[in-house]
mmCIF file of all heavy atoms in Angstrom:
data_model
loop_
_atom_site.group_PDB
_atom_site.id
_atom_site.type_symbol
_atom_site.label_atom_id
_atom_site.label_comp_id
_atom_site.label_asym_id
_atom_site.label_seq_id
_atom_site.Cartn_x
_atom_site.Cartn_y
_atom_site.Cartn_z
ATOM 1 N N SER N 228 58.339 -85.967 206.089
ATOM 2 C CA SER N 228 58.319 -87.080 207.032
ATOM 3 C C SER N 228 57.450 -88.241 206.588
ATOM 4 O O SER N 228 57.747 -89.378 206.890
ATOM 5 C CB SER N 228 57.865 -86.574 208.388
ATOM 6 O OG SER N 228 57.029 -85.458 208.223
ATOM 7 N N LYS N 230 56.847 -89.287 203.603
ATOM 8 C CA LYS N 230 57.239 -89.932 202.357
ATOM 9 C C LYS N 230 57.826 -91.307 202.657
ATOM 10 O O LYS N 230 58.422 -91.511 203.706
ATOM 11 C CB LYS N 230 58.274 -89.075 201.625
ATOM 12 C CG LYS N 230 57.624 -87.864 200.972
ATOM 13 C CD LYS N 230 58.644 -87.015 200.279
ATOM 14 C CE LYS N 230 57.999 -85.729 199.788
ATOM 15 N NZ LYS N 230 58.956 -84.656 199.620
ATOM 16 N N GLY N 235 67.775 -100.342 202.193
ATOM 17 C CA GLY N 235 68.234 -101.278 201.178
ATOM 18 C C GLY N 235 67.888 -102.727 201.418
ATOM 19 O O GLY N 235 67.548 -103.444 200.484
ATOM 20 N N TYR N 236 67.954 -103.173 202.678
ATOM 21 C CA TYR N 236 67.785 -104.601 202.936
ATOM 22 C C TYR N 236 66.347 -104.946 203.332
ATOM 23 O O TYR N 236 66.070 -106.058 203.731
ATOM 24 C CB TYR N 236 68.769 -105.072 204.015
ATOM 25 C CG TYR N 236 68.869 -104.137 205.187
ATOM 26 C CD1 TYR N 236 67.937 -104.183 206.206
ATOM 27 C CD2 TYR N 236 69.886 -103.187 205.262
ATOM 28 C CE1 TYR N 236 68.005 -103.317 207.271
ATOM 29 C CE2 TYR N 236 69.967 -102.313 206.325
ATOM 30 C CZ TYR N 236 69.022 -102.379 207.334
ATOM 31 O OH TYR N 236 69.087 -101.513 208.379
ATOM 32 N N GLN N 269 77.152 -93.127 163.260
ATOM 33 C CA GLN N 269 78.584 -93.082 162.955
ATOM 34 C C GLN N 269 78.782 -92.759 161.472
ATOM 35 O O GLN N 269 77.973 -93.145 160.639
ATOM 36 C CB GLN N 269 79.231 -94.433 163.258
ATOM 37 C CG GLN N 269 79.178 -94.818 164.717
ATOM 38 C CD GLN N 269 79.727 -96.210 164.933
ATOM 39 O OE1 GLN N 269 80.918 -96.402 165.085
ATOM 40 N NE2 GLN N 269 78.862 -97.196 164.908
ATOM 41 N N ASP N 270 79.882 -92.056 161.197
ATOM 42 C CA ASP N 270 80.152 -91.661 159.813
ATOM 43 C C ASP N 270 80.617 -92.845 158.970
ATOM 44 O O ASP N 270 81.176 -93.811 159.487
ATOM 45 C CB ASP N 270 81.240 -90.585 159.777
ATOM 46 C CG ASP N 270 80.777 -89.288 160.410
ATOM 47 O OD1 ASP N 270 79.568 -89.008 160.354
ATOM 48 O OD2 ASP N 270 81.614 -88.570 160.965
ATOM 49 N N LYS N 320 102.430 -102.079 161.206
ATOM 50 C CA LYS N 320 102.811 -100.676 161.076
ATOM 51 C C LYS N 320 104.278 -100.563 160.730
ATOM 52 O O LYS N 320 105.049 -99.958 161.463
ATOM 53 C CB LYS N 320 102.541 -99.938 162.386
ATOM 54 C CG LYS N 320 101.061 -99.820 162.724
ATOM 55 C CD LYS N 320 100.906 -99.276 164.112
ATOM 56 C CE LYS N 320 99.459 -99.126 164.502
ATOM 57 N NZ LYS N 320 98.785 -98.016 163.856
ATOM 58 N N ARG N 394 89.528 -98.484 159.033
ATOM 59 C CA ARG N 394 88.344 -97.778 158.554
ATOM 60 C C ARG N 394 87.580 -97.274 159.763
ATOM 61 O O ARG N 394 86.997 -98.080 160.456
ATOM 62 C CB ARG N 394 87.489 -98.716 157.710
ATOM 63 C CG ARG N 394 88.201 -99.201 156.462
ATOM 64 C CD ARG N 394 87.273 -100.040 155.610
ATOM 65 N NE ARG N 394 86.738 -101.166 156.339
ATOM 66 C CZ ARG N 394 87.380 -102.325 156.477
ATOM 67 N NH1 ARG N 394 88.575 -102.529 155.956
ATOM 68 N NH2 ARG N 394 86.828 -103.300 157.149
ATOM 69 N N LEU N 399 91.613 -86.690 163.372
ATOM 70 C CA LEU N 399 92.376 -86.483 164.610
ATOM 71 C C LEU N 399 92.235 -87.626 165.600
ATOM 72 O O LEU N 399 93.150 -87.900 166.368
ATOM 73 C CB LEU N 399 91.942 -85.171 165.272
ATOM 74 C CG LEU N 399 92.566 -83.916 164.672
ATOM 75 C CD1 LEU N 399 92.024 -82.673 165.349
ATOM 76 C CD2 LEU N 399 94.087 -83.962 164.807
ATOM 77 N N ALA N 400 91.083 -88.309 165.616
ATOM 78 C CA ALA N 400 90.926 -89.419 166.552
ATOM 79 C C ALA N 400 91.898 -90.544 166.196
ATOM 80 O O ALA N 400 92.210 -91.400 167.020
ATOM 81 C CB ALA N 400 89.487 -89.925 166.545
ATOM 82 N N ASP N 445 103.468 -82.993 163.891
ATOM 83 C CA ASP N 445 102.487 -82.272 164.703
ATOM 84 C C ASP N 445 101.250 -81.909 163.893
ATOM 85 O O ASP N 445 100.196 -81.635 164.450
ATOM 86 C CB ASP N 445 103.097 -80.988 165.278
ATOM 87 C CG ASP N 445 104.048 -81.284 166.437
ATOM 88 O OD1 ASP N 445 103.913 -82.370 167.043
ATOM 89 O OD2 ASP N 445 104.913 -80.443 166.721
ATOM 90 N N ASN E 218 67.285 -106.521 197.157
ATOM 91 C CA ASN E 218 67.284 -105.243 196.440
ATOM 92 C C ASN E 218 68.540 -105.063 195.604
ATOM 93 O O ASN E 218 68.519 -104.478 194.528
ATOM 94 C CB ASN E 218 67.128 -104.086 197.416
ATOM 95 C CG ASN E 218 65.701 -103.977 197.913
ATOM 96 O OD1 ASN E 218 64.770 -104.447 197.255
ATOM 97 N ND2 ASN E 218 65.523 -103.387 199.085
ATOM 98 N N TYR E 247 77.448 -99.899 155.802
ATOM 99 C CA TYR E 247 78.504 -99.261 155.017
ATOM 100 C C TYR E 247 79.301 -100.343 154.296
ATOM 101 O O TYR E 247 79.571 -101.412 154.832
ATOM 102 C CB TYR E 247 79.449 -98.463 155.925
ATOM 103 C CG TYR E 247 78.846 -97.217 156.506
ATOM 104 C CD1 TYR E 247 79.102 -96.863 157.828
ATOM 105 C CD2 TYR E 247 78.033 -96.384 155.745
ATOM 106 C CE1 TYR E 247 78.568 -95.710 158.374
ATOM 107 C CE2 TYR E 247 77.492 -95.230 156.290
ATOM 108 C CZ TYR E 247 77.756 -94.897 157.598
ATOM 109 O OH TYR E 247 77.225 -93.769 158.125
ATOM 110 N N ALA E 250 82.660 -101.860 155.655
ATOM 111 C CA ALA E 250 82.163 -101.460 156.968
ATOM 112 C C ALA E 250 83.261 -100.838 157.823
ATOM 113 O O ALA E 250 84.449 -100.962 157.518
ATOM 114 C CB ALA E 250 81.581 -102.673 157.680
ATOM 115 N N ASN E 252 85.778 -100.842 160.761
ATOM 116 C CA ASN E 252 86.483 -101.987 161.347
ATOM 117 C C ASN E 252 85.751 -102.459 162.601
ATOM 118 O O ASN E 252 85.406 -101.632 163.448
ATOM 119 C CB ASN E 252 87.887 -101.600 161.794
ATOM 120 C CG ASN E 252 88.864 -101.564 160.653
ATOM 121 O OD1 ASN E 252 89.557 -100.588 160.486
ATOM 122 N ND2 ASN E 252 88.914 -102.610 159.856
ATOM 123 N N ARG E 259 84.198 -98.024 170.010
ATOM 124 C CA ARG E 259 83.243 -96.923 170.140
ATOM 125 C C ARG E 259 82.053 -97.329 170.999
ATOM 126 O O ARG E 259 81.571 -96.542 171.809
ATOM 127 C CB ARG E 259 82.754 -96.500 168.758
ATOM 128 C CG ARG E 259 83.808 -95.759 167.972
ATOM 129 C CD ARG E 259 83.308 -95.514 166.563
ATOM 130 N NE ARG E 259 84.195 -94.648 165.805
ATOM 131 C CZ ARG E 259 84.011 -94.353 164.527
ATOM 132 N NH1 ARG E 259 82.970 -94.865 163.890
ATOM 133 N NH2 ARG E 259 84.839 -93.561 163.900
ATOM 134 N N PHE E 317 100.433 -104.032 166.287
ATOM 135 C CA PHE E 317 101.030 -104.245 164.958
ATOM 136 C C PHE E 317 102.259 -103.375 164.724
ATOM 137 O O PHE E 317 102.680 -103.166 163.587
ATOM 138 C CB PHE E 317 100.028 -103.950 163.818
ATOM 139 C CG PHE E 317 98.645 -104.444 164.082
ATOM 140 C CD1 PHE E 317 97.589 -103.564 164.229
ATOM 141 C CD2 PHE E 317 98.399 -105.799 164.196
ATOM 142 C CE1 PHE E 317 96.313 -104.029 164.482
ATOM 143 C CE2 PHE E 317 97.119 -106.267 164.443
ATOM 144 C CZ PHE E 317 96.078 -105.368 164.584
ATOM 145 N N SER E 332 102.292 -84.139 170.367
ATOM 146 C CA SER E 332 101.955 -82.743 170.066
ATOM 147 C C SER E 332 101.303 -82.090 171.281
ATOM 148 O O SER E 332 100.137 -81.707 171.249
ATOM 149 C CB SER E 332 101.015 -82.675 168.867
ATOM 150 O OG SER E 332 101.570 -83.349 167.766
ATOM 151 N N ASP E 397 86.310 -85.094 164.771
ATOM 152 C CA ASP E 397 86.191 -85.783 163.475
ATOM 153 C C ASP E 397 84.765 -85.979 163.007
ATOM 154 O O ASP E 397 84.459 -85.835 161.836
ATOM 155 C CB ASP E 397 86.812 -87.190 163.585
ATOM 156 C CG ASP E 397 88.310 -87.128 163.537
ATOM 157 O OD1 ASP E 397 88.840 -86.092 163.116
ATOM 158 O OD2 ASP E 397 88.954 -88.115 163.923
ATOM 159 N N GLN E 399 81.305 -86.193 161.626
ATOM 160 C CA GLN E 399 80.547 -85.258 160.793
ATOM 161 C C GLN E 399 79.062 -85.265 161.150
ATOM 162 O O GLN E 399 78.366 -84.281 160.993
ATOM 163 C CB GLN E 399 80.699 -85.627 159.308
ATOM 164 C CG GLN E 399 82.127 -85.547 158.815
ATOM 165 C CD GLN E 399 82.716 -84.155 158.997
ATOM 166 O OE1 GLN E 399 82.115 -83.164 158.614
ATOM 167 N NE2 GLN E 399 83.887 -84.079 159.619
ATOM 168 N N ARG E 446 59.706 -83.845 215.655
ATOM 169 C CA ARG E 446 58.662 -84.812 215.331
ATOM 170 C C ARG E 446 59.130 -86.189 215.714
ATOM 171 O O ARG E 446 60.278 -86.554 215.458
ATOM 172 C CB ARG E 446 58.408 -84.787 213.816
ATOM 173 C CG ARG E 446 56.969 -84.525 213.492
ATOM 174 C CD ARG E 446 56.710 -84.866 212.062
ATOM 175 N NE ARG E 446 55.994 -86.143 212.019
ATOM 176 C CZ ARG E 446 55.493 -86.641 210.911
ATOM 177 N NH1 ARG E 446 55.670 -86.013 209.779
ATOM 178 N NH2 ARG E 446 54.846 -87.776 210.933
ATOM 179 N N ARG E 488 65.530 -91.969 209.616
ATOM 180 C CA ARG E 488 64.433 -91.966 210.581
ATOM 181 C C ARG E 488 64.592 -93.148 211.530
ATOM 182 O O ARG E 488 65.420 -94.021 211.310
ATOM 183 C CB ARG E 488 63.094 -92.018 209.869
ATOM 184 C CG ARG E 488 62.887 -93.289 209.079
ATOM 185 C CD ARG E 488 61.453 -93.429 208.659
ATOM 186 N NE ARG E 488 61.080 -92.387 207.709
ATOM 187 C CZ ARG E 488 59.914 -92.384 207.046
ATOM 188 N NH1 ARG E 488 59.052 -93.347 207.238
ATOM 189 N NH2 ARG E 488 59.641 -91.440 206.196
ATOM 190 N N GLY E 500 71.196 -97.953 205.140
ATOM 191 C CA GLY E 500 70.434 -98.610 206.182
ATOM 192 C C GLY E 500 71.225 -99.010 207.417
ATOM 193 O O GLY E 500 70.758 -99.840 208.201
#
Side-chain angles (χ1 to χ4, degrees):
Chain N
S228 28
K230 285 179 187 156
Y236 44 82
Q269 296 175 86
D270 294 330
K320 293 171 180 286
R394 297 184 303 276
L399 280 177
D445 285 338
Chain E
N218 285 337
Y247 289 140
N252 280 129
R259 288 174 172 176
F317 319 115
S332 305
D397 283 343
Q399 298 301 310
R446 235 195 104 172
R488 64 167 66 171

